[in-house]
Amino acid sequence: MLCSSIALLLPPASSPSLLSFRRLSRLRSSPLPAAGKLSPTGLLRVSSRTLAFSARTESISTMANDEENVGNVKRLIAKVFELSLQATVPEEADVEPIVAASTVGRFGDYQCNNAMGLFSKLKGKGGGQFRGPPAVGQAIMKNLPQTEMIESCSVAGPGFVNVVLSNKWMSKSIQKMLLDGIDTWAPKLSIKRAVVDFSSPNIAKEMHVGHLRSTIIGDTIARMLEFSHVDVLRRNHVGDWGTQFGMLIEHLFEKFPNIEAVNETAIGDLQAFYKASKQRFDDDSEFKERAQKAVVRLQGGEKRYRDAWAQICAISRREFDSVYDRLKVELEEKGESFYNTFIPSVIEGLTNQGLVEESEGARVIFLEGFNIPLIVVKSDGGYNYASTDLTALWYRLNEEKVEWIIYVTDVGQQQHFEMVFKAAKIAGWLPTEANKYPRTSHVGFGLVLGEDGKRFRTRSTEVVRLVDLLDEAKSRSKAVLEEREKDKDWTKEEIDQTAEAVGYGAVKYADLKNNRLTNYTFNFDQMLNDKGNTAVYLLYAHARICSIIRKSGKDVEELKKTGVLSLEHQDERVLGLHLLRFSEIVEEACTNLLPNILCEYLYNLSENFSKFYSNCQVIGSAEETSRLLLCEATAMVMRKCFFLLGITPVYKI
């Protein structure tokens, strides 16, 4: 039965900060160890008749060597099958092992599925020491090197090689993680530096629910990559350079002749100020003409106009920061204006390559497969989104030496980015081959809908302000705690921190658990439900584990050093296997840029723990020490999942 409330305790002082994960990956290429067995940490040692496995740098999922891969069981299993395939078909170079976690547990924990494809390949060449895929599977199984990882193997169907992991090896691996820390299970991706371009609101417009998905999804992708030893440049490509600033500046001059007197209080509601300037722009032709000239003066660097622009940007920036502070999202702003000075030379370079043509007074790039050209200079000589985005891409590739550039925007901008990427490939900035680096990816996402199935808006049909939405989530969480009279036992600070953790966490998780390409319905009641696949339920599950450990009265840090973990009960084994799959799940979520994969893993982890706890007594049992260690390992993995999702865990119920 779920507990009705949750209290927040601050994590230990030794908990890693976000910045501690922003380190550059150092890929090593040491030779394979000498002959022998796999140690509990997964270091592979093979006989001299086998060939060393060479790292392939084209794929993001490629690891440099086994020592850097100790927590990724799927990779370790793949390594074993790599060696077996080399022995089975030595004439076939670079056969990649096809390894997957088994979906049907009774057949094994992992499965190698190379036999069918390999048999077809050999048959097509006229060779054939094998009579069919099952025979290939049998040979692959026979040639597996001896390893402590594997308890048993079997061949099923058309050559599928099923693997059952050793309980002893699994136990030792989890216990080593407890001693060395969850960071040892981080994936090691082949890239060293990436840009995640996300959030990106427009200056002078308040952040609304439409920015929610970009900010939350982008932050989680950045966190997962940082955890995976990638140096991530978190970029806020704010819209701070364009036509709208002409009307804003002219409206500002009318209202405040003395620009030095302008401040947040004087302007008041910036959104209302923007609407008023837009109304003038639409209704007053003289004002419109002045506004258009103001844009030219701004871009020309005229001081009075630059000062006015800077004031407007500063006021907007404070509004944005109030949202980022609530969400605990870190960003480095490099808006459109930053790239303005680089645009002419980039356009000139593309022109010299013969890519830019004149069309109806504008300068464009015609791209095969698109029925419209990419306009890089407007007919009036001004620049646009394509100008800025192409220049930003050039800068990131050439000046910042980034290998992967990820743009997180709504699906409506997909064609725009596809055209920009296509132009960059034609220009030779990017490789034309798929999955080669450097590369670019557009992370599209669907709409946030209201209960009526339409775009989420207020009753007055206004777009929902993101600050108001987050504040309401916290307020609702706080009201529930006060209704249950937790304010009698907890301090105001505990109430406030708990309400914030649960409220903001609920909003984030409700978004992230969905495939980002789909729309989802925003519903506070569902988000804040303590049953089902919600952040509240998951936060409770973590708090319950912490409570079990506290109630035992044991020093879990001491148990890590002196106790022994075992996985004898079936539910212990299921939970342990799920824990061991953490690294490969994070890798999959990174590779596919899908945070919902991590959410699904986290929810299933909590479900597996609930089943374990229901069927395996912890406190007072003969297996108490082992099961307390399993509880602690589960809590550690859950906390890391929360961190990657940008959710603050709670420690006491």
Side-chain angles (χ1 to χ4, degrees):
M1 182 176 178
L2 292 172
C3 185
S4 60
S5 59
I6 305 172
L8 177 72
L9 293 182
L10 293 177
S14 60
S15 296
S17 67
L18 175 63
L19 293 178
S20 67
F21 298 106
R22 293 183 178 177
R23 51 185 180 272
L24 201 62
S25 175
R26 301 275 190 251
L27 297 182
R28 296 171 291 184
S29 56
S30 57
L32 216 58
K37 293 183 177 181
L38 284 174
S39 72
T41 61
L43 297 180
L44 184 62
R45 297 171 184 166
V46 300
S47 64
S48 58
R49 67 182 174 86
T50 59
L51 300 174
F53 177 70
S54 59
R56 296 169 177 80
T57 58
E58 273 79 10
S59 170
I60 186 174
S61 300
T62 302
M63 308 304 171
N65 59 39
D66 288 321
E67 185 180 354
E68 292 190 338
N69 197 25
V70 295
N72 194 310
V73 179
K74 183 178 176 180
R75 285 283 167 188
L76 294 174
I77 293 292
K79 176 71 68 168
V80 176
F81 277 102
E82 175 85 18
L83 298 168
S84 173
L85 288 165
Q86 290 170 353
T88 303
V89 284
E91 69 278 9
E92 296 294 329
D94 298 326
V95 177
E96 293 278 358
I98 305 172
V99 173
S102 297
T103 55
V104 183
R106 68 178 182 273
F107 294 129
D109 302 321
Y110 286 85
Q111 191 176 73
C112 177
N113 302 326
N114 282 84
M116 289 181 66
L118 195 53
F119 176 74
S120 297
K121 187 176 182 181
L122 294 171
K123 186 178 179 182
K125 291 183 176 181
Q129 70 268 39
F130 303 108
R131 295 194 174 185
V136 179
Q138 290 288 346
I140 293 172
M141 182 177 71
K142 180 181 178 182
N143 285 315
L144 283 171
Q146 187 179 17
T147 165
E148 292 179 347
M149 292 178 65
I150 298 175
E151 183 69 32
S152 63
C153 292
S154 61
V155 177
F160 301 136
V161 183
N162 294 305
V163 170
V164 176
L165 297 178
S166 159
N167 279 13
K168 183 178 180 181
W169 181 86
M170 290 169 61
S171 300
K172 287 182 178 180
S173 297
I174 295 171
Q175 194 154 4
K176 182 168 177 55
M177 182 276 289
L178 285 169
L179 286 170
D180 296 344
I182 188 67
D183 287 3
T184 59
W185 280 8
K188 305 296 191 300
L189 308 183
S190 65
I191 63 167
K192 296 180 179 181
R193 173 173 281 196
V195 162
V196 181
D197 183 326
F198 66 106
S199 194
S200 306
N202 287 316
I203 293 293
K205 293 182 180 179
E206 289 179 310
M207 291 184 71
H208 52 75
V209 72
H211 296 110
L212 178 69
R213 301 206 75 180
S214 178
T215 304
I216 291 174
I217 294 169
D219 180 55
T220 293
I221 289 173
R223 285 171 180 257
M224 292 192 301
L225 289 172
E226 287 162 349
F227 176 61
S228 303
H229 303 273
V230 177
D231 178 31
V232 177
L233 307 181
R234 294 163 157 259
R235 286 293 153 75
N236 201 5
H237 188 83
V238 297
D240 66 347
W241 201 253
T243 305
Q244 75 271 23
F245 282 97
M247 65 186 193
L248 283 166
I249 290 170
E250 283 302 317
H251 190 57
L252 190 70
F253 287 160
E254 285 187 352
K255 293 288 184 181
F256 306 98
N258 180 14
I259 194 65
E260 286 76 17
V262 175
N263 55 42
E264 197 169 353
T265 304
I267 288 182
D269 188 337
L270 191 59
Q271 185 77 354
F273 188 86
Y274 178 88
K275 288 181 179 179
S277 66
K278 181 67 167 65
Q279 190 71 42
R280 291 291 312 280
F281 187 85
D282 293 339
D283 297 343
D284 187 333
S285 58
E286 183 190 357
F287 179 87
K288 182 176 182 178
E289 184 178 353
R290 293 206 315 271
Q292 290 170 336
K293 291 179 179 178
V295 176
V296 177
R297 291 179 172 181
L298 170 65
Q299 294 181 350
E302 194 169 321
K303 185 178 185 304
R304 183 165 180 253
Y305 288 82
R306 283 292 176 95
D307 289 346
W309 169 77
Q311 287 277 41
I312 295 169
C313 289
I315 294 171
S316 272
R317 198 169 289 115
R318 286 192 287 272
E319 294 259 350
F320 299 158
D321 288 344
S322 67
V323 172
Y324 298 139
D325 288 344
R326 285 169 171 79
L327 293 174
K328 292 183 172 60
V329 170
E330 295 188 12
L331 280 156
E332 179 189 5
E333 183 180 311
K334 273 195 177 178
E336 295 171 340
S337 60
F338 175 84
Y339 304 101
N340 190 61
T341 57
F342 300 97
I343 293 177
S345 60
V346 170
I347 301 299
E348 182 182 2
L350 293 171
T351 302
N352 292 339
Q353 288 183 269
L355 301 180
V356 179
E357 302 178 33
E358 295 288 334
S359 177
E360 298 181 10
R363 300 176 68 189
V364 306
I365 300 175
F366 288 99
L367 301 167
E368 185 179 351
F370 296 93
N371 55 15
I372 58 173
L374 184 68
I375 301 173
V376 294
V377 182
K378 297 186 294 184
S379 58
D380 63 2
Y383 300 128
N384 59 4
Y385 290 132
S387 317
T388 304
D389 285 335
L390 272 172
T391 303
L393 177 56
W394 175 89
Y395 184 88
R396 290 163 177 176
L397 291 170
N398 291 279
E399 298 297 324
E400 296 178 319
K401 309 298 182 184
V402 171
E403 296 157 280
W404 197 9
I405 308 172
I406 301 164
Y407 299 82
V408 187
T409 75
D410 64 87
V411 292
Q413 298 185 48
Q414 181 174 341
Q415 180 175 278
H416 166 75
F417 282 105
E418 286 179 351
M419 293 177 74
V420 169
F421 300 162
K422 183 75 174 286
K425 289 179 180 179
I426 295 173
W429 300 354
L430 296 170
T432 55
E433 302 93 334
N435 298 323
K436 288 290 186 71
Y437 290 90
R439 63 183 289 197
T440 54
S441 297
H442 176 242
V443 176
F445 53 83
L447 299 174
V448 181
L449 305 177
E451 294 295 316
D452 57 0
K454 299 178 181 179
R455 190 187 294 266
F456 189 40
R457 296 180 182 275
T458 65
R459 291 182 180 178
S460 61
T461 72
E462 292 291 330
V463 175
V464 178
R465 295 172 70 243
L466 196 46
V467 169
D468 294 341
L469 183 147
L470 293 171
D471 287 348
E472 183 173 354
K474 178 179 177 179
S475 178
R476 286 180 179 234
S477 298
K478 188 173 183 179
V480 171
L481 295 174
E482 291 173 344
E483 283 174 11
R484 293 167 180 169
E485 299 185 339
K486 292 301 174 182
D487 51 334
K488 293 183 178 180
D489 302 319
W490 300 347
T491 65
K492 289 183 178 180
E493 185 179 16
E494 285 179 319
I495 291 284
D496 192 68
Q497 289 180 328
T498 302
E500 186 173 290
V502 174
Y504 298 166
V507 171
K508 287 185 176 184
Y509 188 80
D511 187 308
L512 294 169
K513 74 176 181 180
N514 298 285
N515 186 307
R516 56 176 169 75
L517 293 172
T518 63
N519 301 335
Y520 83 95
T521 301
F522 194 96
N523 184 302
F524 273 123
D525 291 335
Q526 291 179 4
M527 290 178 181
L528 296 169
N529 196 334
D530 63 359
K531 298 178 178 63
N533 189 9
T534 67
V536 183
Y537 169 75
L538 295 169
L539 288 167
Y540 164 76
H542 172 262
R544 179 173 62 167
I545 297 171
C546 296
S547 176
I548 293 167
I549 295 172
R550 285 195 303 271
K551 288 179 180 178
S552 73
K554 300 294 176 63
D555 183 346
V556 73
E557 294 301 321
E558 187 62 30
L559 291 183
K560 291 178 187 179
K561 302 173 185 176
T562 60
V564 176
L565 188 151
S566 63
L567 302 170
E568 300 303 321
H569 191 282
Q570 176 62 20
D571 292 327
E572 291 175 324
R573 192 183 192 282
V574 169
L575 177 58
L577 179 60
H578 197 78
L579 290 171
L580 285 169
R581 287 178 173 163
F582 167 74
S583 180
E584 66 199 57
I585 291 295
V586 176
E587 180 185 332
E588 182 183 353
C590 285
T591 302
N592 296 294
L593 301 172
L594 290 172
N596 63 293
I597 291 173
L598 182 61
C599 293
E600 182 181 4
Y601 171 85
L602 176 58
Y603 177 66
N604 289 334
L605 177 59
S606 68
E607 292 288 271
N608 286 335
F609 179 84
S610 294
K611 187 175 181 182
F612 151 74
Y613 188 63
S614 296
N615 297 326
C616 300
Q617 180 184 346
V618 177
I619 299 175
S621 69
E623 302 87 357
E624 180 181 86
T625 294
S626 172
R627 290 174 177 173
L628 283 173
L629 290 174
L630 190 55
C631 287
E632 176 65 10
T634 303
M636 286 180 69
V637 172
M638 288 190 77
R639 282 194 289 274
K640 184 55 65 176
C641 289
F642 284 137
F643 174 82
L644 296 177
L645 297 171
I647 296 173
T648 302
V650 295
Y651 289 76
K652 184 178 73 173
I653 56 176

